[in-house]
Amino acid sequence: MEALQTAIVETLGQSGPALLVGALGFLMILLTLPIFLKREKDPLDKLKNSARGLGNDISKSDQLRSGSSRDKLEKYSDFLEPKDAEEYSAVKLKLLQAGYRGKNAVRTFHFLQFAFGMFGLLLGAAIAIYRTIQGEVTSQDLAVTVLAPAVIGYMAPRYWVTRRQNARKLALENAFPDSLDLMLVCVEAGQSLDQAILRVANELKAGFPEMAEEYETVSQELKAGKEKTSVLKDMGERCGNQDITSFVTVLVQSQQFGTSIADALRVYSSEMRDKRIMRAEEKANKLPVKMTLATMMFTVPPLLLILVGPSVYAIVVNLSNNGSG
């Protein structure tokens, strides 16, 4: 044992035994993880489901989470999906606002987090072993080397979804005033609100596909027989934009109190145009402040070099000539 320990220390350095133990533990985790994930259903549960009519006692949330037979991640749903209903709804809403509408989006999102985290952990372990072989490294550096890629890999899908969510919100915000103008024209031409939404969705596909997708979803849900109030509220939640949420509230109140939808659209579209102009003016007013630092860094130094450089060079040459003379 002493000879083995000496060989390990000579090969891997002073922290060689600790690294070897950690690698063995990690290998054991990798070996036991598939066994833990690939759990078979309890035969008693199968008998209970068959006795109750092929599983009629399954809850609504479980039915919504169930995937198709082609879904390879379905067997790992207990491991990949949150057990808390509020957490599951929050993740699903975030993915919806980012544009990922699949029924297995939550499962795929958590699988990507797990897969990228494990890949980062393996990459960090490989880098740590290489650094240890090259020379002595402190334990703190080894820990950072192993854990940093794992944390980056685990957070990469969340960062990507957040970026997609913000980009989609910005696209919806830019497209919303134009869609209101088109909807107002359709309603004033005699079309109903349902027909106007479908027509606007078809017209916006080329320029604003995100807004067209939302209106098309609303039209399909209305055709399926879903209540108009709930459809509009769901649209406001999916978009995650305050202007669209206020617009949904206006439409719901107009329907409840029996007021003219054309008048409501006319007033609200005018407000949205004014608000878009105000946002553009705000960005234009912020531009000089943002350009100040760039101007000082990239314009003033070259200008000083051009103006003062020849004079400084002439002074240096004269001083050198006088000193030599």
Side-chain angles (χ1 to χ4, degrees), residues 273-315:
R273 285 196 298 270
D274 296 339
K275 196 171 183 178
R276 182 168 59 180
I277 294 173
M278 292 174 62
R279 281 199 297 264
E281 291 177 351
E282 182 182 359
K283 291 181 179 179
N285 293 330
K286 288 181 179 178
L287 189 59
V289 180
K290 294 180 179 179
M291 290 293 293
T292 301
L293 183 60
T295 303
M296 294 296 293
M297 290 179 60
F298 300 109
T299 304
V300 176
L303 184 63
L304 291 177
L305 185 63
I306 294 171
L307 295 177
V308 184
S311 301
V312 173
Y313 177 75
I315 293 172

Side-chain angles (χ1 to χ4, degrees), residues 242-258:
Q242 184 62 38
D243 296 336
I244 298 178
T245 305
S246 302
F247 168 69
V248 168
T249 304
V250 170
L251 288 184
V252 171
Q253 291 179 352
S254 177
Q255 182 182 2
Q256 290 178 350
F257 296 113

Side-chain angles (χ1 to χ4, degrees), residues 106-125:
V106 178
R107 188 183 306 164
T108 306
F109 172 70
H110 286 286
F111 170 74
L112 290 176
Q113 279 192 317
F114 175 75
F116 284 2
M118 293 299 295
F119 176 76
L121 188 62
L122 291 175
L123 181 63

